[in-house]
Tab-separated table of all heavy atoms in Angstrom:
chain	number	residue	atom	x	y	z
I	1	LEU	N	-3.767	-5.211	-7.775
I	1	LEU	CA	-3.340	-4.756	-6.490
I	1	LEU	C	-4.537	-4.412	-5.648
I	1	LEU	O	-4.685	-4.862	-4.393
I	1	LEU	CB	-2.405	-3.539	-6.574
I	1	LEU	CG	-2.106	-2.860	-5.253
I	1	LEU	CD1	-1.359	-3.831	-4.324
I	1	LEU	CD2	-1.290	-1.559	-5.466
I	2	ASN	N	-5.481	-3.694	-6.164
I	2	ASN	CA	-6.688	-3.309	-5.436
I	2	ASN	C	-7.444	-4.507	-4.971
I	2	ASN	O	-7.816	-4.612	-3.896
I	2	ASN	CB	-7.560	-2.384	-6.298
I	2	ASN	CG	-8.725	-1.855	-5.494
I	2	ASN	OD1	-8.523	-1.446	-4.342
I	2	ASN	ND2	-9.892	-1.803	-6.093
I	3	ARG	N	-7.553	-5.483	-5.817
I	3	ARG	CA	-8.292	-6.706	-5.543
I	3	ARG	C	-7.571	-7.493	-4.343
I	3	ARG	O	-8.182	-7.894	-3.388
I	3	ARG	CB	-8.333	-7.702	-6.776
I	3	ARG	CG	-9.184	-8.921	-6.405
I	3	ARG	CD	-9.132	-9.851	-7.598
I	3	ARG	NE	-7.821	-10.210	-8.145
I	3	ARG	CZ	-6.925	-11.050	-7.549
I	3	ARG	NH1	-7.220	-11.584	-6.510
I	3	ARG	NH2	-5.749	-11.237	-8.155
I	4	LEU	N	-6.224	-7.593	-4.427
I	4	LEU	CA	-5.388	-8.227	-3.334
I	4	LEU	C	-5.648	-7.487	-2.049
I	4	LEU	O	-5.737	-8.093	-0.970
I	4	LEU	CB	-3.944	-8.237	-3.736
I	4	LEU	CG	-3.528	-9.308	-4.691
I	4	LEU	CD1	-2.049	-9.061	-5.042
I	4	LEU	CD2	-3.739	-10.639	-4.098
I	5	LEU	N	-5.577	-6.150	-2.060
I	5	LEU	CA	-5.758	-5.353	-0.856
I	5	LEU	C	-7.162	-5.377	-0.256
I	5	LEU	O	-7.279	-5.323	0.896
I	5	LEU	CB	-5.313	-3.901	-1.102
I	5	LEU	CG	-3.823	-3.694	-1.442
I	5	LEU	CD1	-3.644	-2.264	-1.799
I	5	LEU	CD2	-2.942	-4.179	-0.381
I	6	GLN	N	-8.160	-5.677	-1.149
I	6	GLN	CA	-9.544	-5.719	-0.586
I	6	GLN	C	-9.980	-7.102	-0.178
I	6	GLN	O	-10.914	-7.227	0.566
I	6	GLN	CB	-10.455	-5.249	-1.793
I	6	GLN	CG	-10.244	-3.795	-2.172
I	6	GLN	CD	-10.541	-2.805	-1.182
I	6	GLN	OE1	-11.449	-3.006	-0.382
I	6	GLN	NE2	-9.830	-1.656	-1.140
I	7	THR	N	-9.286	-8.153	-0.597
I	7	THR	CA	-9.649	-9.577	-0.224
I	7	THR	C	-9.108	-9.868	1.096
I	7	THR	O	-7.912	-9.881	1.343
I	7	THR	CB	-9.024	-10.496	-1.356
I	7	THR	OG1	-9.450	-10.114	-2.580
I	7	THR	CG2	-9.508	-11.936	-0.997
I	8	PRO	N	-10.025	-10.121	2.066
I	8	PRO	CA	-9.595	-10.335	3.447
I	8	PRO	C	-8.688	-11.648	3.598
I	8	PRO	O	-7.868	-11.652	4.433
I	8	PRO	CB	-10.957	-10.665	4.204
I	8	PRO	CG	-11.999	-10.316	3.278
I	8	PRO	CD	-11.434	-10.227	1.881
I	9	THR	N	-8.861	-12.627	2.771
I	9	THR	CA	-8.108	-13.919	2.940
I	9	THR	C	-6.858	-13.941	2.138
I	9	THR	O	-6.007	-14.831	2.272
I	9	THR	CB	-8.967	-15.060	2.603
I	9	THR	OG1	-9.484	-14.910	1.217
I	9	THR	CG2	-10.144	-15.217	3.562
I	10	ALA	N	-6.624	-12.999	1.246
I	10	ALA	CA	-5.429	-12.980	0.388
I	10	ALA	C	-4.224	-12.575	1.152
I	10	ALA	O	-4.293	-11.748	2.103
I	10	ALA	CB	-5.644	-11.959	-0.852
I	11	GLU	N	-3.112	-13.165	0.636
I	11	GLU	CA	-1.800	-12.745	1.319
I	11	GLU	C	-1.508	-11.325	0.871
I	11	GLU	O	-1.535	-11.006	-0.348
I	11	GLU	CB	-0.703	-13.641	0.905
I	11	GLU	CG	0.651	-13.348	1.479
I	11	GLU	CD	1.736	-14.398	1.098
I	11	GLU	OE1	1.453	-15.363	0.609
I	11	GLU	OE2	2.865	-13.997	1.330
I	12	LYS	N	-1.261	-10.388	1.772
I	12	LYS	CA	-1.016	-8.992	1.395
I	12	LYS	C	0.369	-8.754	0.924
I	12	LYS	O	1.243	-9.144	1.679
I	12	LYS	CB	-1.420	-8.099	2.595
I	12	LYS	CG	-2.880	-8.264	3.127
I	12	LYS	CD	-3.893	-7.832	2.124
I	12	LYS	CE	-5.168	-7.887	2.780
I	12	LYS	NZ	-6.181	-8.702	2.124
I	13	PRO	N	0.622	-8.071	-0.177
I	13	PRO	CA	1.948	-7.734	-0.573
I	13	PRO	C	2.464	-6.619	0.247
I	13	PRO	O	1.735	-5.799	0.809
I	13	PRO	CB	1.752	-7.331	-2.001
I	13	PRO	CG	0.338	-6.797	-2.065
I	13	PRO	CD	-0.483	-7.665	-1.088
I	14	LEU	N	3.762	-6.593	0.441
I	14	LEU	CA	4.453	-5.394	1.045
I	14	LEU	C	4.516	-4.265	0.093
I	14	LEU	O	5.158	-4.443	-0.994
I	14	LEU	CB	5.797	-5.838	1.558
I	14	LEU	CG	6.690	-4.664	2.144
I	14	LEU	CD1	6.007	-4.081	3.332
I	14	LEU	CD2	8.044	-5.178	2.532
I	15	VAL	N	3.983	-3.157	0.390
I	15	VAL	CA	3.976	-2.007	-0.490
I	15	VAL	C	4.894	-0.948	0.128
I	15	VAL	O	4.661	-0.568	1.266
I	15	VAL	CB	2.590	-1.426	-0.709
I	15	VAL	CG1	2.636	-0.213	-1.680
I	15	VAL	CG2	1.632	-2.493	-1.315
I	16	LEU	N	6.009	-0.532	-0.599
I	16	LEU	CA	6.856	0.391	-0.091
I	16	LEU	C	6.744	1.646	-0.894
I	16	LEU	O	6.665	1.698	-2.124
I	16	LEU	CB	8.336	-0.111	-0.199
I	16	LEU	CG	8.629	-1.360	0.566
I	16	LEU	CD1	10.007	-1.858	0.254
I	16	LEU	CD2	8.483	-1.111	2.033
I	17	GLN	N	6.750	2.754	-0.282
I	17	GLN	CA	6.782	4.099	-0.887
I	17	GLN	C	8.182	4.688	-0.856
I	17	GLN	O	8.704	4.797	0.256
I	17	GLN	CB	5.783	5.072	-0.290
I	17	GLN	CG	6.071	6.482	-0.773
I	17	GLN	CD	4.807	7.157	-1.261
I	17	GLN	OE1	3.696	6.612	-1.178
I	17	GLN	NE2	4.952	8.387	-1.799
I	18	VAL	N	8.739	4.917	-1.930
I	18	VAL	CA	10.115	5.566	-2.074
I	18	VAL	C	9.893	6.954	-2.494
I	18	VAL	O	9.281	7.214	-3.543
I	18	VAL	CB	10.943	4.799	-3.039
I	18	VAL	CG1	12.301	5.443	-3.123
I	18	VAL	CG2	11.097	3.342	-2.593
I	19	GLY	N	10.368	7.900	-1.776
I	19	GLY	CA	10.298	9.311	-2.177
I	19	GLY	C	10.228	10.193	-0.934
I	19	GLY	O	10.754	9.849	0.092
I	20	SER	N	9.551	11.253	-1.061
I	20	SER	CA	9.467	12.353	-0.027
I	20	SER	C	8.514	11.932	1.059
I	20	SER	O	7.441	11.404	0.836
I	20	SER	CB	9.007	13.638	-0.670
I	20	SER	OG	8.572	14.508	0.287
I	21	ARG	N	8.953	12.133	2.327
I	21	ARG	CA	8.187	11.827	3.481
I	21	ARG	C	6.867	12.707	3.473
I	21	ARG	O	5.827	12.297	3.846
I	21	ARG	CB	8.892	11.999	4.815
I	21	ARG	CG	8.116	11.805	6.072
I	21	ARG	CD	7.755	10.333	6.138
I	21	ARG	NE	7.011	10.071	7.363
I	21	ARG	CZ	6.852	8.913	7.832
I	21	ARG	NH1	7.376	7.814	7.192
I	21	ARG	NH2	6.169	8.672	8.860
I	22	VAL	N	7.062	13.961	3.002
I	22	VAL	CA	5.902	14.960	2.921
I	22	VAL	C	4.828	14.341	1.999
I	22	VAL	O	3.647	14.301	2.311
I	22	VAL	CB	6.408	16.233	2.440
I	22	VAL	CG1	5.200	17.208	2.221
I	22	VAL	CG2	7.322	16.900	3.482
I	23	LEU	N	5.212	13.742	0.895
I	23	LEU	CA	4.247	13.216	-0.096
I	23	LEU	C	3.575	11.979	0.596
I	23	LEU	O	2.432	11.755	0.339
I	23	LEU	CB	4.932	12.843	-1.425
I	23	LEU	CG	5.391	13.979	-2.204
I	23	LEU	CD1	6.163	13.489	-3.525
I	23	LEU	CD2	4.268	14.984	-2.564
I	24	PHE	N	4.375	11.134	1.267
I	24	PHE	CA	3.840	9.928	1.894
I	24	PHE	C	2.805	10.398	2.916
I	24	PHE	O	1.737	9.807	3.025
I	24	PHE	CB	4.898	9.152	2.534
I	24	PHE	CG	4.396	7.935	3.256
I	24	PHE	CD1	4.133	6.785	2.521
I	24	PHE	CD2	4.246	7.912	4.656
I	24	PHE	CE1	3.657	5.635	3.209
I	24	PHE	CE2	3.759	6.757	5.267
I	24	PHE	CZ	3.456	5.672	4.594
I	25	ASP	N	3.096	11.396	3.733
I	25	ASP	CA	2.179	11.887	4.737
I	25	ASP	C	0.885	12.464	4.127
I	25	ASP	O	-0.209	12.373	4.662
I	25	ASP	CB	2.772	12.958	5.630
I	25	ASP	CG	3.889	12.387	6.511
I	25	ASP	OD1	3.871	11.120	6.736
I	25	ASP	OD2	4.769	13.148	6.986
I	26	GLN	N	0.982	13.043	2.959
I	26	GLN	CA	-0.219	13.604	2.303
I	26	GLN	C	-1.102	12.551	1.650
I	26	GLN	O	-2.321	12.639	1.825
I	26	GLN	CB	0.259	14.625	1.103
I	26	GLN	CG	0.877	15.799	1.625
I	26	GLN	CD	1.381	16.699	0.529
I	26	GLN	OE1	1.381	16.284	-0.672
I	26	GLN	NE2	1.889	17.865	0.885
I	27	ALA	N	-0.593	11.534	1.066
I	27	ALA	CA	-1.412	10.473	0.413
I	27	ALA	C	-0.574	9.239	0.099
I	27	ALA	O	0.632	9.371	-0.349
I	27	ALA	CB	-1.969	10.968	-0.840
């Protein structure tokens, strides 16, 4: 995942966070 997110030409996956909005806002 890190490699995909760091590679400028790679197709980026959709990453969804499921859980508390507070936790999402923190990190």
Side-chain angles (χ1 to χ4, degrees):
L1 171 62
N2 187 42
R3 184 185 51 75
L4 281 172
L5 295 175
Q6 300 292 329
T7 305
T9 57
E11 182 177 346
K12 304 294 186 237
L14 173 62
V15 179
L16 300 174
Q17 167 130 4
V18 177
S20 164
R21 179 67 181 196
V22 173
L23 294 178
F24 179 80
D25 290 341
Q26 290 176 354

